[in-house]
Amino acid sequence: MLQFKARNVSNMAVDTQLGVEIHISDINDNRPRFEHDEYPITIKESQRQGAFVMTVLARDLDKRGSPNSTIDYRIISTTPITQNAEFYMIENGTILFKGCLDYEKAQTYTIIVEAKDRGVPPLSSTCKVIINVEDMNNHFPIFTGHTGTGRVKERETGQTFLRVQVDDKDSRGTSAWKAKYTIHGDTGKNFQIETDSETNEGILSVVLALDFEEGSVRNLSISVENETPYFSCVVKEQPPRGPWKVDYFDSSSGQGGVVRSPMEKISVSVEDVNDPPEFVCPLGDVTVEENTEIGHLLETFIAVDKDKTFNDDFVYLKGSDPAGWVNVGPQDGKITTAKVIDRESDYVKNNTYTITLYAVSTGVPPMTGTATLNIHLTDQNDNVPKLESHMLTMCLSASVVNITAYDLDGDPYSGPFHFELLGDIKGRWRLDPSFGRTVNLIKEEAVYAGSHKLLLKISDAQGKFLQQNLTMTVCDCSTIPNCHARRVTSVIPGGGTVGIVIASLFLFLGVLLLVIFVSCGRHRTMFLVDPGSGATLLKSNIETPGTDCKVPDAQVIQNGRCHEAMSTQSNVKNSTFQQEVSESSCISQLRITIKYLISPAQHNFQHIMYSNTILN
């Protein structure tokens, strides 16, 4: 856009002005440019003709809407060229194909696409489209044979007896190559087939035991397919215009009809072995009253042996019978009571006692069938109520203590119980209430601290009773009856006390040995006490034995103690003390002393005092 102005020379005033508009004509000086020089893409081999592959776009900077920026696309070349597929392009740069892709004939196609404008002269550029074909399942696995014995033993599981082989032309290791086997004709679901991931073989095994008596041969059929659904595409005609005529099948969608997978027939031989006898009814239930007489028939079990080629003799044996309450007839399977059955036994759970029964064949090897009998026991009133505790304590300041009873019987032979105090307890003890499973024993003010013996009569709901002794200890305490704890604590020495006692024992033993060796010479020695010296001979055996142990009588150890030779005058001041101890008596004295000093832990301090008394 230009503007011209004319001015007066004298005063530079604008006399006139002119506007000029210049139009620039576009020439084709820009070529179309693709967004990328190379376009890689992967499509499945099972893609049907006419399906979208991809779109490539180019841009031209020349005037929009003019021939210089109008782009035409075309495929210059395709490598490789195959007879089964042909790629083509439509106006907007979209690539399609017709025919059938085949991975085995071409895994990759390289297409050169040209974008050309309509300018004069026309300009163009190219890009490369790389189409990778993904292998799909267009080849059925074909059976090539099988290996193995094809024989299995009845009643055995986990046994691999056959392997089948297949061949597949799809890419090894892909889902289009991996085989998936199916068993047909296995009405009993006895067999299982798995795929070996390395060899693609089918491994046939037994998962549910077979029975020879139901048939010696099993006829099976095995089909095989791949993990990826099968498809097929075959070009029938290539017309010059429009899509080609093809036969297409896809098992995943069911398009194109039905194609059956290959089948292989397998015959399995079943080998007979010695079968265990089978109980007609392996689980039995019987109800019986407890304390039933010995020899009572509880149940009769019947077993049969279906073997055709083995000896079918068998005997009945008792299996689990923890209380030893039953007998089993070896020939007839009759179960009878061997002892009186007690519902309250620890072996009875939820009123039920369980035993097991075996039927053992005499074949080789011997085989065993098992049955179970649940004996449901009904209750009798064969137990009396009993106290949970026969010794109770309470504080002198308290007035009530709980008494609880129990009965091993169940309802209606158990509680609630009736409690009754017997004997002369008036003004001292009473019950309130006297009916229930737990009642209150009330202490009157006349009861003193100490131990009290009470006699209780406790009756169950049916009137069956038992008289029981109850020891009540009343303690002089405030809230917690702990007099028993204090008494126990006072007689138990601590760790330091025990150490002192042991050290004292050894010290006393050393002094004693020293005295014995000094005094036990071959010559007798006379000790004279001068009455005028003012010395006084005191009696030393004045220790009093303890009250918590029995002191042995002196006559019991008469044969082991030392004999004393002592002369004492009535007037101590004029007396002369003589003591003669023979060598043999000193040895006896040493033996007795050591016996009492080195004694088990139950001997306490009084034994030491008593030994000192003997020595004195």
Side-chain angles (χ1 to χ4, degrees):
M1 301 292 293
L2 303 178
Q3 186 179 45
F4 295 90
K5 293 182 180 181
R7 297 180 181 274
N8 189 296
V9 176
S10 61
N11 58 8
M12 298 301 294
V14 176
D15 292 336
T16 186
Q17 60 183 10
L18 176 67
V20 179
E21 185 176 288
I22 302 174
H23 294 275
I24 302 174
S25 298
D26 184 32
I27 64 171
N28 191 22
D29 59 346
N30 290 283
R31 65 181 65 248
R33 297 290 183 185
F34 286 99
E35 294 179 353
H36 304 284
D37 293 334
E38 192 172 282
Y39 293 87
I41 188 174
T42 300
I43 62 175
K44 292 182 178 181
E45 182 186 16
S46 57
Q47 193 110 320
R48 301 191 66 172
Q49 71 170 348
F52 171 82
V53 177
M54 74 172 303
T55 298
V56 292
L57 294 176
R59 294 180 59 192
D60 196 315
L61 296 178
D62 289 321
K63 183 179 180 181
R64 182 178 297 181
S66 68
N68 295 337
S69 63
T70 302
I71 302 174
D72 296 319
Y73 298 93
R74 71 184 182 99
I75 295 176
I76 296 178
S77 65
T78 301
T79 307
I81 298 175
T82 57
Q83 298 297 321
N84 59 297
E86 180 180 298
F87 291 91
Y88 64 96
M89 178 169 279
I90 58 178
E91 292 180 357
N92 62 353
T94 299
I95 301 174
L96 307 173
F97 80 94
K98 50 188 175 182
C100 300
L101 297 176
D102 191 343
Y103 177 84
E104 282 70 37
K105 293 181 179 179
Q107 291 84 40
T108 304
Y109 288 95
T110 301
I111 300 175
I112 305 299
V113 178
E114 179 188 62
K116 180 186 290 186
D117 61 26
R118 296 179 182 180
V120 180
L123 300 177
S124 65
S125 62
T126 60
C127 71
K128 183 186 295 184
V129 178
I130 300 174
I131 300 176
N132 298 302
V133 180
E134 180 183 350
D135 191 18
M136 301 300 290
N137 184 24
N138 63 335
H139 295 91
F140 267 124
I142 304 300
F143 286 102
T144 58
H146 58 264
T147 56
T149 61
R151 302 179 65 86
V152 297
K153 292 183 178 180
E154 68 168 333
R155 293 191 296 101
E156 285 192 4
T157 58
Q159 178 183 1
T160 298
F161 61 92
L162 201 70
R163 296 175 76 99
V164 294
Q165 291 85 35
V166 294
D167 180 51
D168 197 314
K169 293 182 180 179
D170 291 312
S171 299
R172 184 181 181 88
T174 64
S175 59
W177 173 83
K178 294 179 180 178
K180 186 170 63 175
Y181 298 90
T182 304
I183 301 175
H184 305 273
D186 181 20
T187 57
K189 306 298 180 182
N190 301 97
F191 300 95
Q192 172 183 281
I193 190 166
E194 296 178 316
T195 303
D196 187 324
S197 59
E198 296 295 330
T199 64
N200 223 19
E201 292 178 316
I203 305 171
L204 193 60
S205 60
V206 179
V207 293
L208 183 63
L210 295 163
D211 189 351
F212 176 82
E213 283 67 34
E214 294 180 359
S216 60
V217 177
R218 302 288 193 275
N219 292 314
L220 306 175
S221 296
I222 300 175
S223 63
V224 62
E225 56 185 354
N226 298 113
E227 293 181 359
T228 300
Y230 173 79
F231 88 98
S232 66
C233 184
V234 179
V235 176
K236 295 296 185 180
E237 187 179 349
Q238 299 178 352
R241 294 181 179 274
W244 295 354
K245 293 182 178 181
V246 299
D247 285 342
Y248 186 83
F249 170 78
D250 185 357
S251 62
S252 62
S253 60
Q255 297 178 351
V258 177
V259 177
R260 299 187 179 277
S261 58
M263 301 281 288
E264 180 82 355
K265 295 186 179 298
I266 300 293
S267 180
V268 183
S269 299
V270 183
E271 298 180 1
D272 191 20
V273 298
N274 186 24
D275 289 316
E278 294 182 5
F279 283 92
V280 176
C281 182
L283 179 63
D285 290 273
V286 63
T287 300
V288 65
E289 193 173 33
E290 68 170 330
N291 302 318
T292 299
E293 69 278 2
I294 296 175
H296 177 76
L297 178 62
L298 297 173
E299 186 64 276
T300 300
F301 278 88
I302 299 175
V304 294
D305 195 329
K306 299 180 180 179
D307 271 324
K308 296 180 180 179
T309 58
F310 291 86
N311 185 1
D312 58 356
D313 293 334
F314 61 88
V315 295
Y316 297 98
L317 298 176
K318 183 170 64 173
S320 173
D321 179 19
W325 283 347
V326 300
N327 288 327
V328 175
Q331 302 302 326
D332 54 15
K334 292 184 177 180
I335 301 177
T336 57
T337 56
K339 296 179 181 179
V340 175
I341 299 178
D342 184 10
R343 189 194 71 90
E344 290 74 38
S345 170
D346 292 337
Y347 298 106
V348 177
K349 306 299 181 184
N350 297 324
N351 299 326
T352 302
Y353 180 70
T354 302
I355 67 168
T356 56
L357 177 68
Y358 299 143
V360 183
S361 70
T362 57
V364 179
M367 302 302 294
T368 302
T370 304
T372 301
L373 176 62
N374 293 317
I375 304 173
H376 305 283
L377 300 175
T378 58
D379 195 16
Q380 287 185 344
N381 193 11
D382 56 346
N383 291 279
V384 293
K386 295 182 180 179
L387 287 171
E388 282 192 355
S389 176
H390 289 268
M391 299 182 67
L392 298 175
T393 59
M394 65 185 302
C395 288
L396 187 60
S397 60
S399 60
V400 179
V401 66
N402 289 335
I403 301 176
T404 302
Y406 69 95
D407 194 325
L408 294 177
D409 293 321
D411 292 333
Y413 305 118
S414 181
F417 309 116
H418 181 264
F419 295 77
E420 182 181 357
L421 280 172
L422 303 178
D424 184 14
I425 46 84
K426 186 175 181 180
R428 294 191 298 274
W429 303 93
R430 60 186 176 90
L431 297 171
D432 185 18
S434 60
F435 189 75
R437 295 183 183 270
T438 298
V439 297
N440 296 328
L441 176 62
I442 300 177
K443 176 180 65 64
E444 302 291 358
E445 293 183 358
V447 176
Y448 55 86
S451 180
H452 302 267
K453 301 291 184 180
L454 302 179
L455 182 60
L456 274 172
K457 177 183 176 182
I458 308 176
S459 307
D460 63 20
Q462 303 300 320
K464 195 166 186 176
F465 67 90
L466 178 66
Q467 294 183 7
Q468 303 171 63
N469 291 320
L470 174 64
T471 301
M472 282 298 308
T473 303
V474 180
C475 310
D476 187 8
C477 54
S478 56
T479 57
I480 301 176
N482 57 359
C483 54
H484 178 70
R486 290 200 303 269
R487 183 169 63 251
V488 173
T489 305
S490 62
V491 298
I492 299 177
T497 305
V498 174
I500 295 173
V501 170
I502 295 175
S504 301
L505 288 176
F506 281 103
L507 179 60
F508 184 77
L509 180 60
V511 174
L512 179 62
L513 291 176
L514 179 61
V515 171
I516 292 173
F517 280 112
V518 171
S519 62
C520 294
R522 291 189 177 272
H523 299 286
R524 299 178 181 178
T525 305
M526 179 77 69
F527 291 90
L528 298 178
V529 180
D530 184 5
S533 63
T536 302
L537 182 61
L538 299 177
K539 188 176 181 180
S540 62
N541 56 340
I542 61 173
E543 293 87 349
T544 302
T547 59
D548 60 345
C549 67
K550 184 178 180 181
V551 180
D553 190 87
Q555 293 181 356
V556 177
I557 57 170
Q558 184 176 3
N559 295 331
R561 63 179 297 180
C562 293
H563 295 284
E564 297 181 355
M566 184 181 299
S567 298
T568 307
Q569 296 181 2
S570 59
N571 190 351
V572 178
K573 293 183 178 180
N574 297 323
S575 64
T576 302
F577 176 77
Q578 295 181 352
Q579 183 180 17
E580 296 179 357
V581 181
S582 64
E583 183 177 358
S584 61
S585 64
C586 288
I587 295 176
S588 298
Q589 177 182 349
L590 177 60
R591 184 184 303 113
I592 295 171
T593 303
I594 295 176
K595 173 181 177 182
Y596 278 87
L597 288 177
I598 307 177
S599 59
Q602 64 267 24
H603 293 286
N604 50 26
F605 305 126
Q606 281 70 21
H607 293 103
I608 304 173
M609 299 176 183
Y610 183 68
S611 301
N612 193 16
T613 302
I614 297 173
L615 295 178
N616 291 336

